[in-house]
């Protein structure tokens, strides 16, 4: 299943999300580096929906959503196969 990054970050069944948490940490580090090492937040969310409906998202240096220009990077990294990670 292809995971899409939206205003709520990645939101889906936790069984699909647990494998991308490390990748999102890597993306946060890359985003921080692109912003002269400013802090980037990583938020793990749980909603009022069923317990298997969870999410993870990045918070940009201004406290807002991840800049839209980086959403494609998030999706590419989250959806890449292990063999494709070196190409991203």
């Amino acid at each position: 299943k292809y995971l899409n990054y939206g205003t709520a970050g990645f939101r889906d069944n936790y069984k699909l999300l647990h494998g991308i948490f490390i990748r999102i940490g890597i993306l946060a580090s890359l985003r921080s580096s692109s912003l002269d090492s400013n802090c980037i937040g990583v938020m793990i969310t749980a909603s009022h929906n069923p317990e298997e409906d969870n999410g993870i998202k990045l918070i940009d240096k201004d406290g807002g959503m991840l800049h839209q220009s980086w959403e494609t990077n998030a999706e590419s990294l989250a959806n890449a196969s292990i063999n494709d990670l070196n190409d991203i």
Side-chain angles (χ1 to χ4, degrees):
K1 177 180 177 179
Y2 189 87
L3 296 171
N4 292 302
Y5 193 94
T7 57
F10 292 109
R11 189 170 151 219
D12 212 312
N13 187 297
Y14 72 95
K15 292 179 182 176
L16 298 174
L17 294 177
H18 76 276
I20 66 164
F21 280 37
I22 291 173
R23 295 176 185 208
I24 296 306
I26 293 168
L27 184 67
S29 179
L30 294 171
R31 179 67 175 149
S32 174
S33 291
S34 78
L35 297 170
D36 297 322
S37 297
N38 279 286
C39 291
I40 299 298
V42 177
M43 182 183 296
I44 298 171
T45 61
S47 71
H48 58 279
N49 294 321
E51 66 182 33
E52 49 291 318
D53 186 12
N54 295 286
I56 184 168
K57 64 181 176 179
L58 294 178
I59 309 300
D60 240 338
K61 71 177 188 168
D62 63 359
M65 297 184 310
L66 176 66
H67 193 274
Q68 190 174 10
S69 65
W70 275 71
E71 290 180 6
T72 302
N73 297 332
E75 289 181 2
S76 294
L77 188 57
N79 291 292
S81 72
I82 294 295
N83 295 332
D84 293 335
L85 286 177
N86 287 333
D87 298 330
I88 296 178

Coordinates of all heavy atoms in Angstrom, one line a residue:
K1 N 0.8 -1.2 0.0 CA 0.0 0.0 0.0 C 0.9 1.2 0.0 O 1.8 1.3 0.8 CB -0.9 0.0 1.2 CG -1.7 1.2 1.3 CD -2.6 1.2 2.6 CE -3.4 2.5 2.7 NZ -4.3 2.5 3.8
Y2 N 0.6 2.2 -0.9 CA 1.3 3.4 -0.9 C 0.9 4.4 0.2 O -0.3 4.6 0.3 CB 1.1 4.1 -2.3 CG 2.0 5.2 -2.6 CD1 3.3 5.0 -3.1 CD2 1.6 6.5 -2.3 CE1 4.2 6.1 -3.3 CE2 2.5 7.6 -2.5 CZ 3.7 7.4 -3.0 OH 4.6 8.5 -3.2
L3 N 1.8 4.9 0.9 CA 1.4 5.8 2.0 C 1.6 7.2 1.5 O 2.6 7.6 1.0 CB 2.4 5.6 3.2 CG 2.2 4.2 3.9 CD1 3.3 4.0 4.9 CD2 0.9 4.1 4.5
N4 N 0.6 8.0 1.7 CA 0.6 9.4 1.3 C 0.8 10.3 2.5 O 0.3 10.1 3.6 CB -0.8 9.8 0.7 CG -1.0 9.1 -0.7 OD1 -0.2 9.3 -1.6 ND2 -2.1 8.4 -0.8
Y5 N 1.6 11.4 2.3 CA 1.8 12.4 3.3 C 0.9 13.6 3.1 O 0.9 14.2 2.0 CB 3.3 12.9 3.3 CG 3.7 13.6 4.5 CD1 4.3 13.0 5.6 CD2 3.4 15.0 4.6 CE1 4.6 13.7 6.7 CE2 3.7 15.7 5.8 CZ 4.4 15.0 6.8 OH 4.7 15.7 7.9
G6 N 0.1 13.9 4.1 CA -0.9 15.0 4.0 C -0.8 15.9 5.2 O 0.2 15.9 5.9
T7 N -1.8 16.7 5.4 CA -1.7 17.7 6.5 C -1.6 17.0 7.8 O -1.1 17.6 8.8 CB -3.0 18.6 6.5 OG1 -4.2 17.7 6.6 CG2 -3.1 19.4 5.2
A8 N -2.0 15.8 7.9 CA -1.9 15.0 9.2 C -0.6 14.1 9.2 O -0.5 13.2 10.0 CB -3.1 14.1 9.4
G9 N 0.2 14.3 8.2 CA 1.4 13.5 8.1 C 1.0 12.2 7.4 O 0.1 12.1 6.6
F10 N 1.6 11.1 7.9 CA 1.2 9.7 7.5 C 0.3 9.3 8.5 O 0.5 9.2 9.7 CB 2.4 8.8 7.4 CG 3.4 9.1 6.4 CD1 4.7 9.6 6.6 CD2 3.1 8.9 5.0 CE1 5.6 9.9 5.7 CE2 4.0 9.1 4.0 CZ 5.2 9.7 4.3
R11 N -0.9 8.9 8.1 CA -1.9 8.4 9.0 C -2.5 7.1 8.4 O -3.1 7.1 7.3 CB -3.0 9.5 9.2 CG -4.0 9.1 10.3 CD -4.9 10.3 10.6 NE -6.1 9.8 11.0 CZ -7.3 10.2 10.8 NH1 -7.4 11.3 10.0 NH2 -8.4 9.7 11.2
D12 N -2.4 6.1 9.2 CA -2.9 4.8 8.7 C -2.9 3.8 9.9 O -2.6 4.2 11.0 CB -2.1 4.2 7.6 CG -2.9 3.4 6.6 OD1 -3.6 2.5 7.0 OD2 -2.8 3.7 5.4
N13 N -3.1 2.5 9.6 CA -3.0 1.5 10.6 C -1.6 1.4 11.1 O -0.7 1.4 10.3 CB -3.5 0.2 9.9 CG -3.6 -1.0 10.9 OD1 -2.6 -1.3 11.5 ND2 -4.7 -1.5 11.1
Y14 N -1.5 1.3 12.4 CA -0.1 1.3 13.0 C 0.7 0.1 12.4 O 2.0 0.3 12.4 CB -0.2 1.1 14.5 CG -0.7 -0.2 15.0 CD1 0.3 -1.2 15.4 CD2 -2.0 -0.5 15.1 CE1 -0.1 -2.4 15.8 CE2 -2.4 -1.8 15.6 CZ -1.5 -2.7 15.9 OH -1.9 -3.9 16.3
K15 N 0.1 -0.9 12.0 CA 0.9 -2.0 11.4 C 1.6 -1.6 10.1 O 2.6 -2.2 9.7 CB 0.0 -3.2 11.2 CG -0.5 -3.9 12.4 CD -1.4 -5.0 12.2 CE -1.9 -5.6 13.5 NZ -2.9 -6.7 13.3
L16 N 1.1 -0.6 9.4 CA 1.7 -0.1 8.2 C 2.7 1.0 8.5 O 3.6 1.3 7.7 CB 0.7 0.4 7.2 CG -0.4 -0.6 6.7 CD1 -1.4 0.1 5.9 CD2 0.3 -1.7 5.9
L17 N 2.6 1.6 9.7 CA 3.4 2.8 10.0 C 4.7 2.4 10.7 O 5.7 3.2 10.6 CB 2.6 3.8 10.8 CG 1.5 4.5 10.0 CD1 0.7 5.4 11.0 CD2 2.0 5.2 8.8
H18 N 4.7 1.4 11.5 CA 5.9 1.1 12.4 C 7.2 1.0 11.6 O 8.2 1.4 12.1 CB 5.7 -0.1 13.2 CG 5.8 -1.4 12.5 ND1 4.8 -2.0 11.8 CD2 6.9 -2.2 12.4 CE1 5.3 -3.1 11.3 NE2 6.6 -3.3 11.6
G19 N 7.1 0.6 10.4 CA 8.4 0.4 9.6 C 8.9 1.7 9.0 O 10.1 1.8 8.6
I20 N 8.2 2.8 9.1 CA 8.7 4.1 8.5 C 9.1 5.1 9.6 O 9.7 6.1 9.3 CB 7.6 4.8 7.6 CG1 6.4 5.2 8.4 CG2 7.3 3.9 6.5 CD1 5.6 6.2 7.6
F21 N 9.0 4.7 10.9 CA 9.4 5.7 11.9 C 10.8 6.1 11.8 O 11.2 7.2 11.9 CB 9.0 5.1 13.3 CG 7.6 5.3 13.7 CD1 6.6 5.2 12.7 CD2 7.2 5.6 15.0 CE1 5.2 5.3 13.1 CE2 5.9 5.8 15.3 CZ 4.9 5.6 14.4
I22 N 11.7 5.1 11.6 CA 13.2 5.4 11.5 C 13.4 6.3 10.2 O 14.2 7.2 10.3 CB 14.0 4.1 11.4 CG1 13.9 3.5 12.8 CG2 15.4 4.4 11.0 CD1 14.6 2.1 12.9
R23 N 12.7 5.9 9.2 CA 12.9 6.7 7.9 C 12.5 8.2 8.1 O 13.1 9.1 7.6 CB 12.1 6.1 6.8 CG 12.6 4.7 6.4 CD 11.7 4.1 5.4 NE 12.1 2.7 5.1 CZ 12.0 2.1 4.0 NH1 11.3 2.7 3.0 NH2 12.3 0.9 3.8
I24 N 11.4 8.4 8.9 CA 11.0 9.8 9.1 C 12.0 10.5 10.0 O 12.2 11.7 9.8 CB 9.5 9.8 9.7 CG1 8.6 9.2 8.7 CG2 9.1 11.2 10.1 CD1 8.6 9.9 7.3
G25 N 12.6 9.8 10.9 CA 13.7 10.4 11.7 C 14.8 10.8 10.8 O 15.4 11.9 11.0
I26 N 15.2 10.0 9.8 CA 16.2 10.4 8.9 C 15.8 11.6 8.1 O 16.6 12.5 7.9 CB 16.5 9.2 7.9 CG1 17.2 8.1 8.7 CG2 17.4 9.6 6.8 CD1 17.2 6.7 8.0
L27 N 14.5 11.6 7.6 CA 14.0 12.8 6.9 C 14.1 14.1 7.8 O 14.5 15.1 7.3 CB 12.6 12.5 6.4 CG 12.1 13.7 5.5 CD1 12.8 13.7 4.2 CD2 10.6 13.4 5.3
A28 N 13.7 13.9 9.0 CA 13.8 15.1 9.9 C 15.2 15.6 10.0 O 15.5 16.8 10.0 CB 13.3 14.7 11.3
S29 N 16.2 14.7 10.1 CA 17.6 15.1 10.1 C 18.0 15.8 8.8 O 18.7 16.9 8.9 CB 18.5 13.9 10.4 OG 19.8 14.2 10.4
L30 N 17.6 15.3 7.7 CA 17.9 16.0 6.4 C 17.2 17.3 6.3 O 17.8 18.3 5.8 CB 17.5 15.1 5.3 CG 18.2 13.7 5.1 CD1 17.5 12.9 4.1 CD2 19.7 14.0 4.8
R31 N 16.0 17.4 6.8 CA 15.3 18.7 6.7 C 16.0 19.7 7.6 O 16.2 20.9 7.3 CB 13.8 18.5 7.2 CG 13.0 19.8 7.2 CD 12.8 20.4 5.8 NE 11.9 21.5 5.9 CZ 12.0 22.6 5.1 NH1 12.9 22.6 4.1 NH2 11.2 23.6 5.2
S32 N 16.4 19.3 8.8 CA 17.1 20.2 9.7 C 18.4 20.7 9.1 O 18.7 21.9 9.2 CB 17.4 19.4 11.0 OG 18.2 20.2 11.9
S33 N 19.1 19.8 8.4 CA 20.4 20.2 7.8 C 20.1 21.2 6.7 O 20.9 22.1 6.5 CB 21.1 18.9 7.2 OG 21.5 18.1 8.2
S34 N 19.0 21.1 6.0 CA 18.7 22.0 4.9 C 18.3 23.4 5.5 O 18.3 24.3 4.7 CB 17.6 21.5 4.0 OG 16.3 21.6 4.7
L35 N 18.0 23.4 6.7 CA 17.6 24.7 7.4 C 18.7 25.2 8.4 O 18.4 25.7 9.5 CB 16.3 24.5 8.1 CG 15.1 24.2 7.2 CD1 13.9 23.8 8.0 CD2 14.8 25.4 6.3
D36 N 19.9 25.0 8.0 CA 21.1 25.4 8.9 C 21.0 24.8 10.3 O 21.2 25.5 11.3 CB 21.2 26.9 9.0 CG 21.4 27.5 7.6 OD1 22.2 26.9 6.8 OD2 20.9 28.6 7.3
S37 N 20.6 23.5 10.4 CA 20.5 22.8 11.6 C 19.4 23.3 12.6 O 19.5 23.1 13.8 CB 21.9 22.7 12.3 OG 22.8 22.0 11.5
N38 N 18.4 24.0 12.1 CA 17.3 24.3 13.0 C 16.5 23.1 13.4 O 16.5 22.1 12.7 CB 16.3 25.3 12.2 CG 16.8 26.7 12.2 OD1 16.7 27.4 13.2 ND2 17.3 27.1 11.1
C39 N 15.9 23.2 14.5 CA 15.2 22.0 15.1 C 13.9 21.7 14.2 O 13.3 22.6 13.7 CB 14.7 22.3 16.5 SG 16.0 22.3 17.7
I40 N 13.7 20.4 14.0 CA 12.5 19.9 13.4 C 11.9 18.9 14.3 O 12.5 18.1 14.9 CB 12.9 19.1 12.1 CG1 13.6 20.1 11.1 CG2 11.7 18.5 11.4 CD1 12.8 21.2 10.6
G41 N 10.6 19.0 14.5 CA 9.9 18.1 15.4 C 9.3 16.9 14.7 O 9.0 16.9 13.5
V42 N 9.2 15.8 15.4 CA 8.6 14.6 14.9 C 7.5 14.2 15.9 O 7.7 14.1 17.1 CB 9.6 13.4 14.9 CG1 8.9 12.1 14.4 CG2 10.7 13.7 13.9
M43 N 6.3 14.2 15.4 CA 5.1 13.9 16.3 C 4.5 12.6 15.9 O 4.1 12.3 14.8 CB 4.1 15.0 16.1 CG 2.9 14.9 17.0 SD 1.6 16.1 16.8 CE 2.5 17.6 17.3
I44 N 4.4 11.7 16.9 CA 3.6 10.5 16.8 C 2.2 10.8 17.3 O 2.1 11.2 18.5 CB 4.3 9.4 17.6 CG1 5.7 9.1 17.0 CG2 3.5 8.1 17.5 CD1 6.6 8.2 17.8
T45 N 1.3 10.5 16.5 CA -0.1 10.9 16.9 C -1.0 9.6 17.1 O -0.8 8.6 16.5 CB -0.8 11.8 15.8 OG1 -0.8 11.0 14.6 CG2 0.0 13.0 15.6
A46 N -1.9 9.8 18.0 CA -3.0 8.8 18.2 C -4.3 9.6 18.2 O -4.3 10.7 18.7 CB -2.8 8.1 19.5
S47 N -5.3 9.1 17.5 CA -6.5 9.9 17.4 C -7.6 9.3 18.2 O -7.5 8.3 18.9 CB -6.9 9.9 15.9 OG -7.4 8.7 15.5
H48 N -8.7 10.0 18.2 CA -9.9 9.5 18.9 C -10.6 8.4 18.0 O -11.6 7.9 18.5 CB -10.9 10.7 19.1 CG -11.3 11.4 17.8 ND1 -10.5 12.3 17.3 CD2 -12.4 11.3 17.1 CE1 -11.1 12.8 16.1 NE2 -12.2 12.1 16.0
N49 N -10.1 8.1 16.9 CA -10.6 7.0 16.1 C -10.1 5.7 16.6 O -9.5 5.7 17.7 CB -10.1 7.2 14.6 CG -10.7 8.5 14.0 OD1 -11.8 8.8 14.2 ND2 -9.9 9.2 13.2
P50 N -10.4 4.6 16.0 CA -10.0 3.3 16.5 C -8.5 3.3 16.8 O -7.7 4.0 16.1 CB -10.3 2.3 15.3 CG -11.5 3.0 14.6 CD -11.2 4.5 14.7
E51 N -8.1 2.5 17.8 CA -6.7 2.5 18.2 C -5.7 2.1 17.2 O -4.5 2.5 17.3 CB -6.5 1.6 19.4 CG -6.7 0.1 19.1 CD -6.5 -0.8 20.4 OE1 -6.9 -0.3 21.5 OE2 -6.1 -1.9 20.2
E52 N -6.1 1.5 16.1 CA -5.1 1.2 15.1 C -4.9 2.3 14.1 O -4.1 2.3 13.2 CB -5.4 -0.1 14.3 CG -6.8 -0.5 13.8 CD -7.9 -0.8 14.8 OE1 -7.7 -1.4 15.8 OE2 -9.0 -0.3 14.5
D53 N -5.7 3.4 14.3 CA -5.5 4.6 13.4 C -4.6 5.6 14.1 O -5.0 6.3 15.0 CB -6.9 5.2 13.2 CG -6.9 6.3 12.2 OD1 -5.9 6.5 11.5 OD2 -7.9 7.1 12.1
N54 N -3.3 5.6 13.7 CA -2.3 6.4 14.2 C -1.6 7.2 13.2 O -1.8 7.0 12.0 CB -1.3 5.5 15.0 CG -2.0 4.9 16.2 OD1 -2.3 5.6 17.2 ND2 -2.3 3.6 16.1
G55 N -0.6 8.0 13.5 CA 0.1 8.7 12.5 C 1.5 9.2 13.0 O 1.8 9.1 14.2
I56 N 2.2 9.7 12.1 CA 3.5 10.3 12.4 C 3.7 11.5 11.4 O 3.3 11.4 10.2 CB 4.7 9.3 12.2 CG1 6.0 10.0 12.6 CG2 4.8 8.7 10.9 CD1 7.2 9.0 12.8
K57 N 4.2 12.6 11.9 CA 4.4 13.8 11.0 C 5.5 14.6 11.5 O 6.0 14.5 12.7 CB 3.1 14.6 10.9 CG 2.7 15.3 12.2 CD 1.4 16.1 12.0 CE 0.8 16.7 13.3 NZ -0.4 17.5 13.0
L58 N 6.0 15.4 10.6 CA 7.1 16.3 10.9 C 6.6 17.7 11.1 O 5.7 18.1 10.5 CB 8.1 16.3 9.7 CG 8.9 15.0 9.5 CD1 9.8 15.1 8.3 CD2 9.7 14.6 10.7
I59 N 7.2 18.4 12.0 CA 6.9 19.8 12.3 C 8.1 20.6 11.9 O 9.2 20.4 12.4 CB 6.6 20.0 13.9 CG1 5.6 18.9 14.4 CG2 6.1 21.4 14.1 CD1 4.2 19.0 13.7
D60 N 7.8 21.6 11.1 CA 8.9 22.5 10.6 C 9.4 23.4 11.7 O 8.8 23.6 12.7 CB 8.5 23.2 9.3 CG 9.3 22.9 8.1 OD1 10.5 22.5 8.3 OD2 8.9 23.1 7.0
K61 N 10.5 24.1 11.4 CA 11.2 25.0 12.4 C 10.3 26.1 12.9 O 10.5 26.6 14.0 CB 12.4 25.6 11.8 CG 12.2 26.7 10.7 CD 13.5 27.3 10.3 CE 13.2 28.5 9.4 NZ 14.4 29.3 9.1
D62 N 9.2 26.5 12.2 CA 8.3 27.6 12.7 C 7.2 27.0 13.5 O 6.3 27.7 13.9 CB 7.8 28.4 11.5 CG 7.0 27.6 10.5 OD1 6.8 26.3 10.7 OD2 6.5 28.1 9.5
G63 N 7.2 25.7 13.7 CA 6.1 25.1 14.5 C 4.9 24.6 13.6 O 3.9 24.1 14.1
G64 N 5.0 24.9 12.3 CA 3.9 24.5 11.4 C 4.2 23.2 10.7 O 5.1 22.5 11.1
M65 N 3.3 22.9 9.8 CA 3.4 21.7 9.0 C 4.7 21.6 8.2 O 5.3 22.7 7.9 CB 2.3 21.5 8.0 CG 0.9 21.5 8.7 SD -0.5 21.2 7.6 CE -0.2 22.4 6.3
L66 N 5.2 20.4 7.9 CA 6.3 20.2 7.0 C 6.0 21.0 5.7 O 4.9 21.0 5.2 CB 6.5 18.8 6.7 CG 7.6 18.4 5.7 CD1 9.0 18.7 6.3 CD2 7.5 16.9 5.4
H67 N 7.1 21.8 5.3 CA 6.9 22.5 4.1 C 6.5 21.6 2.9 O 7.0 20.5 2.8 CB 8.2 23.3 3.7 CG 8.0 24.3 2.6 ND1 8.0 24.0 1.3 CD2 7.7 25.6 2.8 CE1 7.8 25.1 0.6 NE2 7.6 26.1 1.5
Q68 N 5.5 22.1 2.2 CA 4.9 21.2 1.1 C 5.9 20.7 0.1 O 5.8 19.6 -0.4 CB 3.8 22.1 0.4 CG 3.0 21.2 -0.6 CD 1.9 22.1 -1.2 OE1 1.8 23.3 -1.0 NE2 1.0 21.4 -1.9
S69 N 7.0 21.5 -0.1 CA 8.0 21.0 -1.1 C 8.7 19.8 -0.6 O 9.4 19.1 -1.4 CB 9.0 22.1 -1.3 OG 9.8 22.4 -0.1
W70 N 8.6 19.4 0.7 CA 9.3 18.3 1.3 C 8.3 17.1 1.4 O 8.8 15.9 1.7 CB 9.9 18.6 2.6 CG 11.2 19.2 2.5 CD1 11.5 20.4 2.0 CD2 12.5 18.6 2.8 NE1 12.9 20.6 2.0 CE2 13.5 19.5 2.5 CE3 12.8 17.3 3.2 CZ2 14.8 19.2 2.6 CZ3 14.2 17.0 3.4 CH2 15.2 18.0 3.1
E71 N 7.1 17.2 1.1 CA 6.1 16.1 1.2 C 6.5 15.0 0.2 O 6.4 13.8 0.5 CB 4.7 16.6 1.0 CG 4.2 17.4 2.1 CD 2.8 17.9 1.9 OE1 2.1 17.5 1.0 OE2 2.3 18.7 2.8
T72 N 6.9 15.3 -1.0 CA 7.3 14.3 -2.0 C 8.5 13.5 -1.4 O 8.6 12.3 -1.6 CB 7.7 15.0 -3.3 OG1 6.6 15.7 -3.8 CG2 8.1 13.9 -4.4
N73 N 9.5 14.2 -0.8 CA 10.6 13.5 -0.2 C 10.1 12.5 0.9 O 10.6 11.4 1.0 CB 11.6 14.5 0.4 CG 12.2 15.4 -0.6 OD1 12.3 15.1 -1.8 ND2 12.6 16.6 -0.2
A74 N 9.2 12.9 1.7 CA 8.6 12.1 2.7 C 8.0 10.8 2.1 O 8.2 9.7 2.6 CB 7.6 12.8 3.6
E75 N 7.2 11.0 1.1 CA 6.5 9.9 0.5 C 7.5 9.0 -0.2 O 7.4 7.7 -0.1 CB 5.5 10.4 -0.5 CG 4.3 11.0 0.1 CD 3.2 11.5 -0.9 OE1 3.4 11.3 -2.1 OE2 2.2 12.0 -0.4
S76 N 8.5 9.5 -0.9 CA 9.5 8.7 -1.5 C 10.3 7.8 -0.5 O 10.5 6.6 -0.7 CB 10.5 9.6 -2.3 OG 9.9 10.2 -3.4
L77 N 10.7 8.4 0.6 CA 11.4 7.7 1.6 C 10.6 6.7 2.3 O 11.0 5.5 2.5 CB 12.0 8.7 2.6 CG 12.9 8.1 3.7 CD1 14.1 7.5 3.0 CD2 13.4 9.2 4.6
A78 N 9.3 7.0 2.6 CA 8.4 6.1 3.3 C 8.1 4.9 2.5 O 7.9 3.8 3.0 CB 7.2 6.8 3.8
N79 N 7.9 5.1 1.2 CA 7.4 4.0 0.3 C 8.5 3.3 -0.5 O 8.3 2.3 -1.2 CB 6.5 4.6 -0.7 CG 5.2 5.0 0.0 OD1 4.4 4.2 0.4 ND2 5.0 6.3 0.1
A80 N 9.8 3.7 -0.3 CA 10.9 3.0 -1.0 C 11.1 1.6 -0.4 O 11.0 1.3 0.8 CB 12.2 3.8 -0.8
S81 N 11.5 0.7 -1.4 CA 11.9 -0.6 -0.9 C 13.2 -0.5 -0.3 O 14.0 0.4 -0.5 CB 11.9 -1.6 -2.1 OG 13.0 -1.3 -3.0
I82 N 13.6 -1.5 0.4 CA 14.9 -1.6 1.1 C 16.0 -1.4 0.0 O 17.0 -0.7 0.2 CB 15.1 -2.9 1.9 CG1 14.2 -2.9 3.1 CG2 16.6 -3.0 2.3 CD1 14.4 -1.9 4.1
N83 N 15.8 -2.0 -1.1 CA 16.8 -2.0 -2.2 C 16.9 -0.6 -2.8 O 18.0 -0.2 -3.4 CB 16.5 -3.0 -3.3 CG 16.6 -4.4 -2.8 OD1 17.4 -4.7 -1.9 ND2 15.9 -5.3 -3.4
D84 N 15.9 0.2 -2.7 CA 15.9 1.5 -3.4 C 16.3 2.7 -2.5 O 16.5 3.8 -2.9 CB 14.5 1.9 -3.9 CG 14.0 1.0 -5.0 OD1 14.9 0.5 -5.7 OD2 12.8 0.8 -5.2
L85 N 16.6 2.4 -1.2 CA 16.9 3.4 -0.3 C 18.2 4.2 -0.6 O 18.3 5.4 -0.4 CB 17.0 2.9 1.2 CG 15.7 2.6 1.8 CD1 15.9 2.0 3.2 CD2 14.8 3.8 1.9
N86 N 19.2 3.5 -1.2 CA 20.4 4.2 -1.6 C 20.2 5.2 -2.7 O 21.0 6.1 -2.9 CB 21.5 3.2 -2.0 CG 22.0 2.4 -0.8 OD1 22.0 2.9 0.3 ND2 22.5 1.2 -1.1
D87 N 19.1 5.1 -3.5 CA 18.9 5.9 -4.6 C 18.1 7.2 -4.3 O 17.9 8.1 -5.1 CB 18.1 5.2 -5.7 CG 18.9 4.0 -6.3 OD1 20.2 4.1 -6.2 OD2 18.3 3.0 -6.7
I88 N 17.6 7.3 -3.1 CA 16.8 8.4 -2.7 C 17.6 9.6 -2.2 O 18.5 9.4 -1.5 CB 15.7 8.0 -1.6 CG1 14.8 7.0 -2.2 CG2 15.0 9.2 -1.1 CD1 13.7 6.4 -1.3

